[in-house]
Amino acid sequence: MAKPMIITVDDEPQVLNAIERDLRKQYRRDYRIVKAGSGQDALAAVKQFKQRGNAVALFLADHRMPQMTGTEFLAEAIKYYPDARKVLLTAYADTEAAISSINEIGLDYYMSKPWDPPDEHMYPILDDLLSDWQATVPQPYDGIRVAGTLWSATSHTIKDFLARNRIPYQWLDIETDPEALALVEASTTEPRLLPVVFFPDGDILVNPTTAELAEKCGLQTQATAEFYDLIIIGAGPAGLGAAVYGASEGLHTLMVDKDATGGQAGTSSRIENYLGFPKGLSGADLARRATAQAKRLGAEILVPREVVEVRIEHPYRYVVLDDGTELGCRALIIASGVSTRRLKAPGVEPLTGAGIYYGAALTEAAYYRDQPMYVVGGANSAGQGAMFFARFASKVTMLVRGSSLAKGMSHYLINQIEGSENIDVLTRTVVTEAHGSNRLESIMIRNIDEGNEQRVECPALFLFIGAVPHTEMVAGVVERNRAGFILTGSELVSGGRRPAGWTLRRDPYLLETSVPGIFAAGDVRQSAIRRVASAVGQGANAVNFVHQYLKTV
Ligand SMILES: Cc1cc2nc3c(=O)[nH]c(=O)nc-3n(C[C@H](O)[C@H](O)[C@H](O)COP(=O)(O)OP(=O)(O)OC[C@H]3O[C@@H](n4cnc5c(N)ncnc54)[C@H](O)[C@@H]3O)c2cc1C
């Protein structure tokens, strides 16, 4: 496969040679470095590369060039390569121009001259942009292929698992692609058992479990030790925050997740309100970055492994995994979050995965291009889902139980929805039935006030209908409220009385549960503010309390 390119443009030969030298030094192995002495020359080359089918990963252009500025060049070049990352090389006085380029052309970064030493001022930035490009832009295919039928729930599970773990794959639909069908028939004696997963090394897995798939894909599913300073249940933003701080502060840290790192946030199409990302970022991107960071700092991450039980043997805490493995620790953080409540209506269960999806199901949504989609729910996640689907659906209809969106949704999202031509909002409306022989075809919807029901054609229904906490594994161990959310800190002290069984002379710390040394962070807590930033902050903060607790045992 031809290497993707990095194209750099500068009219000053000395600067151009210096950039080329530094780029070659770091990236020559994986990328072809191409230089040009003007925007016009670079554009001519870009057009040729496009015709030949070459990939361009990054443009690095000097802003100050006669005839065509760097910004003008980038604006033209991205017409050919919209996914390439764009960096402007600027002098100190060009900062204003660079900032306006962020808005005008979606500039990814502006790098000030001089960039010496490149190890500090150039490579970390470009590494980040290039790994982002690699992770998000489809490359010519030589990886894992999944063959199945679009409407099978088992195929959906496997695709969802791969997507959530950010493992690239190519989907082969055996109903529409005769070559894919022939491939499946030639590879298995039971072609009705789907999906079939083909690996680049020639291995094939037929209808695998996610654990089998994880192992084959190189995810860590077994712990390397039996005992840790800190175990974290759940690798959403709260768990990842705790893992980064725990590991970086010297705690031998293990994090366990039953599905994928990133949690709910990992399924978000765009997170606009996370500090430091002015253009917003996708949940998958955030999850990928945070996972890499936690691993680099030394945290061990097991995926997919579910914690099914938590046990206390003073002063230690033990978690039991779904395969029976028992792991001990000195302190435990529960960051197991919440998941979408299930819709209980006739027909929904059998069609889940075949037109009905919980959460954003980004991989599946793309199959409904130019078709009508329905979104159930009135909170931010539903709003984001609707905005995302509206990019390619013929029409998105939001079904909201409440009388307006204002109750549960951020103002900026309501504005975006109101400004979208192809999103309709039906308030005081619920889904009462789902119909379809082997995939969703229609739903019954009812207006709660008027009581009248109608059947509407509906190929795709996405559900965002409230949250249920994942706390079964600590039932009877730590105090929870009636809905199952975990109580922490002052919530456990009432009228000066500490929780039952609490023997210490101090009150529980802010994020501590009713059992000393067991902490909770993120959405799983009773009083959680359901935001990525607060989950991350609580994860980090919980580690601070872990240190305080460990000093006393
Ligand atoms: C579609 C969507 C869009 C969103 N967009 C935004 C946004 O734009 N901005 C914003 O601020 N917030 C947003 N949110 C909310 C935000 O994602 C959550 O508040 C945040 O993810 C909570 O983080 P958490 O770590 O507490 O829990 P979660 O993200 O729920 O993560 C919990 C993790 O624990 C794992 N787990 C559960 N039980 C077990 C077990 N027994 N064993 C092992 N692992 C277990 C789960 O698999 C999961 O990965 C969005 C939520 C959704 C669903």
Side-chain angles (χ1 to χ4, degrees), residues 156 160 264-270 340 357-366 368 373 375 381-382 384-386 388-389 392 461-464:
H156 169 62
D160 194 50
Q264 297 167 72
T267 67
S268 170
S269 50
R270 193 125 212 106
T340 313
Y357 306 97
Y358 286 92
L362 303 180
T363 26
E364 309 300 344
Y368 299 97
M373 296 185 186
V375 169
S381 51
Q384 285 177 349
F388 177 74
F389 302 146
F392 44 87
L461 179 69
F462 294 88
L463 303 161
F464 302 82

Side-chain angles (χ1 to χ4, degrees), residues 266-516:
T267 67
S268 170
S269 50
R270 193 125 212 106
I271 298 169
E272 307 250 17
N273 57 354
Y274 193 58
L275 189 73
F277 292 88
K279 290 200 308 181
L281 83 169
S282 72
D285 195 7
L286 180 67
R288 180 174 57 76
R289 286 163 188 264
T291 305
Q293 193 175 14
K295 282 189 180 163
R296 186 177 66 78
L297 292 167
E300 233 178 89
I301 305 178
L302 302 190
V303 175
R305 276 277 166 256
E306 183 168 1
V307 174
V308 291
E309 193 188 329
V310 169
R311 212 165 54 69
I312 300 163
E313 226 172 81
H314 278 303
Y316 306 121
R317 283 85 186 87
Y318 290 87
V319 297
V320 182
L321 305 185
D322 48 7
D323 64 349
T325 309
E326 214 172 86
L327 302 167
C329 59
R330 297 165 70 205
L332 179 69
I333 296 179
I334 305 164
S336 46
V338 299
S339 58
T340 313
R341 191 181 299 283
R342 299 266 130 181
L343 176 65
K344 293 195 174 65
V348 169
E349 198 54 44
L351 293 168
T352 298
I356 299 182
Y357 306 97
Y358 286 92
L362 303 180
T363 26
E364 309 300 344
Y367 295 114
Y368 299 97
R369 183 170 290 281
D370 299 326
Q371 297 188 51
M373 296 185 186
Y374 283 77
V375 169
V376 180
N380 277 353
S381 51
Q384 285 177 349
M387 285 302 300
F388 177 74
F389 302 146
R391 289 194 221 153
F392 44 87
S394 58
K395 182 175 154 190
V396 176
T397 306
M398 295 187 72
L399 305 175
V400 183
R401 180 184 282 273
S403 51
S404 82
L405 289 179
K407 260 190 177 172
M409 198 177 286
S410 301
H411 193 60
Y412 80 94
L413 256 182
I414 298 178
N415 285 345
Q416 287 180 2
I417 288 169
E418 284 173 355
S420 300
E421 282 178 1
N422 62 342
I423 304 184
D424 272 358
V425 180
L426 297 184
T427 54
R428 303 291 289 155
T429 306
V430 291
V431 175
T432 53
E433 282 172 37
H435 298 278
S437 43
N438 57 7
R439 67 165 116 151
L440 182 67
E441 286 159 16
S442 64
I443 52 174
M444 295 294 287
I445 57 176
R446 185 171 70 216
N447 181 289
I448 306 172
D449 297 326
E450 292 155 17
N452 55 335
E453 274 192 290
Q454 57 168 316
R455 183 191 282 259
V456 289
E457 258 184 54
C458 173
L461 179 69
F462 294 88
L463 303 161
F464 302 82
I465 49 172
V468 190
H470 297 134
T471 54
E472 313 73 38
M473 69 289 190
V474 285
V477 179
V478 302
E479 275 193 35
R480 303 181 299 161
N481 68 13
R482 284 174 69 183
F485 288 92
I486 294 177
L487 274 56
T488 50
S490 59
E491 293 163 349
L492 292 159
V493 182
S494 117
R497 291 225 322 268
R498 292 174 180 147
W502 186 271
T503 54
L504 303 181
R505 290 224 184 118
R506 61 167 177 84
D507 285 352
Y509 295 128
L510 186 67
L511 297 172
E512 201 167 23
T513 67
S514 58
V515 176

Side-chain angles (χ1 to χ4, degrees), residues 232-247:
I232 302 159
I233 307 176
L240 285 162
V244 164
Y245 283 85

Side-chain angles (χ1 to χ4, degrees), residues 225-260:
E226 288 176 2
F227 195 87
Y228 293 80
D229 293 327
L230 172 63
I231 292 182
I232 302 159
I233 307 176
L240 285 162
V244 164
Y245 283 85
S248 69
E249 290 166 15
L251 297 175
H252 187 202
T253 301
L254 174 80
M255 180 163 62
V256 186
D257 200 289
K258 67 184 176 60
D259 294 325

